[in-house]
């Protein structure tokens, strides 16, 4: 986990045969990012024609906080200019509408579910039911639906 403002990168590979969990440059079908700068940092991992699903929230990294750097401007457009399909969304706002800022990740997964059709919406919702405590399930279902644009 991240400490002191650091970033966290997680690779997920799945399929009939997976030989390595690491995704090299130009291999990722999708990048799902909680923060705009982090998406831009890893855009080179995206394959040609790949999609970036990015939360438009900007979280200042330590150099910006200390005043030694400025947060880069125009990152969404720069990612688009690189050839990426960019789906930028305010996942934090959707999470708050669902009832908790902690469900921003589920809003992002909801959006991802509209792209990745090999997993049905029912299967996504079953996974939520298995992984989320019952008292938070309805909130997370709402965040998921909002992320899907419903």
């Amino acid at each position: 986990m991240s400490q002191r403002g650091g970033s966290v990168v997680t690779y997920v590979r799945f399929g009939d045969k997976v030989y390595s969990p690491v995704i090299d440059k130009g291999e990722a079908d999708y990048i799902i990012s909680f923060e705009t700068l982090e998406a831009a940092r890893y855009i080179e991992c995206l394959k040609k024609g790949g999609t970036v699903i990015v939360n438009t929230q900007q979280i200042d990294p330590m150099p910006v906080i200390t005043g030694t750097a400025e947060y880069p401007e125009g990152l969404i457009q720069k990612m688009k200019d690189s050839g990426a399909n960019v789906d930028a969304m305010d996942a934090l706002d959707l999470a708050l509408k669902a009832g908790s800022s902690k469900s921003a990740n589920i809003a992002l997964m909801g959006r991802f579910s509209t792209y990745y059709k090999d997993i049905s919406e029912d299967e996504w919702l079953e996974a939520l039911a298995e992984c989320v405590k019952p008292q938070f399930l309805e909130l997370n279902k709402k965040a998921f639906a909002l992320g899907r644009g419903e």
Side-chain angles (χ1 to χ4, degrees):
M1 297 221 23
S2 169
Q3 294 183 15
R4 295 186 181 95
S7 64
V8 174
V9 177
T10 302
Y11 300 98
V12 177
R13 294 185 85 156
F14 58 93
D16 293 331
K17 292 183 181 181
V18 175
Y19 298 103
S20 170
V22 177
I23 297 172
D24 289 327
K25 293 178 184 178
E27 289 187 348
D29 296 307
Y30 300 94
I31 292 176
I32 303 168
S33 181
F34 285 91
E35 200 274 334
T36 308
L37 182 57
E38 290 302 312
R41 281 186 181 148
Y42 292 94
I43 197 72
E44 65 186 14
C45 291
L46 194 67
K47 71 168 43 172
K48 189 172 186 162
T51 299
V52 178
I53 300 167
V54 59
N55 184 8
T56 55
Q57 181 179 9
Q58 295 181 359
I59 301 171
D60 291 340
M62 197 54 65
V64 173
I65 292 170
T66 62
T68 60
E70 291 184 18
Y71 195 96
E73 293 186 21
L75 292 174
I76 299 293
Q77 188 59 50
K78 287 177 184 175
M79 288 187 283
K80 288 179 180 179
D81 291 346
S82 77
N85 300 316
V86 180
D87 187 344
M89 62 185 283
D90 189 342
L92 178 59
D93 182 60
L94 296 178
L96 291 170
K97 286 178 182 172
S100 172
S101 63
K102 293 179 181 180
S103 64
N105 60 335
I106 302 300
L108 288 165
M109 287 294 98
R111 184 63 58 91
F112 175 60
S113 76
T114 68
Y115 288 93
Y116 191 77
K117 304 290 186 180
D118 289 351
I119 300 173
S120 72
E121 183 178 354
D122 287 341
E123 290 171 312
W124 284 103
L125 293 173
E126 287 173 27
L128 268 178
E130 289 178 18
C131 296
V132 174
K133 291 182 180 180
Q135 65 264 36
F136 302 116
L137 183 57
E138 287 309 310
L139 179 150
N140 280 275
K141 282 181 168 181
K142 186 173 180 182
F144 184 82
L146 289 168
R148 288 179 57 83
E150 299 172 359

